[in-house]
Structures are given as C-alpha cells and as structure tokens.
Amino acid sequence: MSFTLAKTERLAAILAQTPVIPVLTFDDAKSGVAASKALRDGGLTVLEVTLRTPQALEALHAVVQEVEGVTVGAGTVLEPEHVEKAVRAGASFLISPGSSPRLIAAGSEAPVPFMPGVSSVTEAMKLWEKGATFAKFFPAGPAGGPEYLKALVAPLPSVHFVPTGGVTLANAPSYLKLKNVVAVGGSWVAPQELIERGDWAGIEALAREAAALKAR
C-alpha cells in the first residue's frame, strides 16, 4: 500500500497543465458536457467532476467521451467503491478531500493517480511516508490559507499541494506564488448559477481569467 513513482509522475504531468482545476458539480450529462467545453475553450483543460450528485458518474463518463482535449478526474472520492466506479467511468485521476486508511489503501492501488486530501502537518507526513508527494489541501481557507502552506515549505519540501476550498480569482495568486503549490482548485470558474442558466459564454470568460494565472 504505497504511491508508486510511475503514478506520481503521471499526476505531476496532469497538474503541470494548468494553474486552476475547476471543481465541478453536474446534475446531468448534457450540461456537464457543455460546461466542460466552455472551460476547455477558455483554456482550462484539467477538470475535477465531483461525485456529489446521483448523475455525477454519468456526467463524468459523458465528458470523457464527448469533450476532446481535456483530462477529467473524479473528485469527492470518499470510499473504495467510489474509486472503482470512477475508474470505470473513465476518470484519469482521483481526488479526495481527506485521507482515511481504507481510502488510501484503495486509492493507492487504483490504476490511475490518486491525490488524497490533508489539512494538517501530521496528515501530510503520513502520506509522505507512503510515498505521496502531492496532496489536496482542504478546506484551504479555514485550514490556514497561504500562510499555513508557506510554513510547510521548510519542514516538508518534497510535498506539494493543490489548495481547494475558499479559493477565488482574487486570492489564487497568493497560493500559486508558493513553492509547494502546483495548482489550485476552485468552483468559481463554473458556478452553479451559470451552469443552471446555460451561460456557457460566461463560464468560458471565467475560465480565460483563471487560465491567465500562473503557478510559481
């Protein structure tokens, strides 16, 4: 039960593609495909489809099949069953908000890269001991924000983070300038109200702003 170098390198390559990973919640496949195309056209090509709705896996599969030029992962992966179903749906990577023992065991053995979540130094160290050098930092704002992550650079130089939770266009640069942040996750680039209205041009414009941000 460990994180292999091959999958770590694959995850590193995925995260290097973008400064911002949209955190997406879809109620149906059709809107998922349309929103994903808008995000891609705005310059964001790595997407996290959260498993928060009954239609999430269907939407994820539809995006994988119908939207060219994007790398699609499954987010809010909470249990081993989610790992299996997300992989079957076509997810290229998996993200969890936390790191329970059962989930770590399943995720580390999955055929695609798995990025667990942490909110403390102890959790990050436990993952590092298992070979994980990338982790979601969640909920980023309540857990301490950029200052907290900055303090981890010296003691944990080989662990890199994707802060998510409370990240916005305004504060994303404060995270992205840090040595141990490779990208940020955020729902602001595809807010539910725009998805529900079918405002794909609005989502594309938000994606274009986010894609202009740069990681250090």
Side-chain angles (χ1 to χ4, degrees):
M1 187 180 69
S2 61
F3 293 79
T4 66
L5 178 60
K7 283 188 284 188
T8 297
E9 290 177 342
R10 283 163 60 191
L11 181 58
I14 290 170
L15 297 176
Q17 294 178 38
T18 182
V20 178
I21 299 174
V23 178
L24 307 166
T25 302
F26 296 138
D27 289 317
D28 63 88
K30 184 177 180 180
S31 63
V33 167
S36 298
K37 287 180 178 178
L39 290 163
R40 177 204 60 194
D41 293 346
L44 297 181
T45 58
V46 179
L47 313 178
E48 175 188 342
V49 177
T50 64
L51 305 185
R52 298 178 184 173
T53 68
Q55 298 79 21
L57 288 167
E58 179 187 353
L60 188 156
H61 182 70
V63 173
V64 170
Q65 294 296 313
E66 300 180 35
V67 185
E68 295 182 1
V70 296
T71 303
V72 187
T76 319
V77 174
L78 302 177
E79 54 187 87
E81 184 181 6
H82 286 166
V83 172
E84 181 182 350
K85 289 182 176 180
V87 171
R88 283 208 308 265
S92 294
F93 62 97
L94 309 170
I95 299 180
S96 174
S99 50
S100 71
R102 288 177 65 244
L103 186 59
I104 291 297
S108 63
E109 296 300 324
V112 300
F114 171 58
M115 184 166 64
V118 302
S119 61
S120 72
V121 176
T122 298
E123 291 172 322
M125 288 179 63
K126 287 180 178 179
L127 290 175
W128 176 71
E129 288 177 352
K130 296 181 184 298
T133 54
F134 293 95
K136 177 174 180 171
F137 181 59
F138 179 84
E147 289 303 311
Y148 188 96
L149 288 178
K150 183 179 180 181
L152 299 188
V153 173
L156 295 174
S158 61
V159 181
H160 297 82
F161 299 94
V162 178
T164 307
V167 181
T168 66
L169 179 65
N171 65 23
S174 297
Y175 289 101
L176 291 169
K177 71 180 181 181
L178 300 177
K179 293 180 179 180
N180 58 349
V181 170
V182 292
V184 299
S187 58
W188 88 86
V189 290
Q192 288 304 113
E193 57 267 27
L194 295 192
I195 294 176
E196 290 171 4
R197 292 207 307 260
D199 187 353
W200 314 128
I203 290 175
E204 181 178 341
L206 291 173
R208 204 170 297 282
E209 284 183 320
L213 298 171
K214 299 295 182 183
R216 188 183 189 281

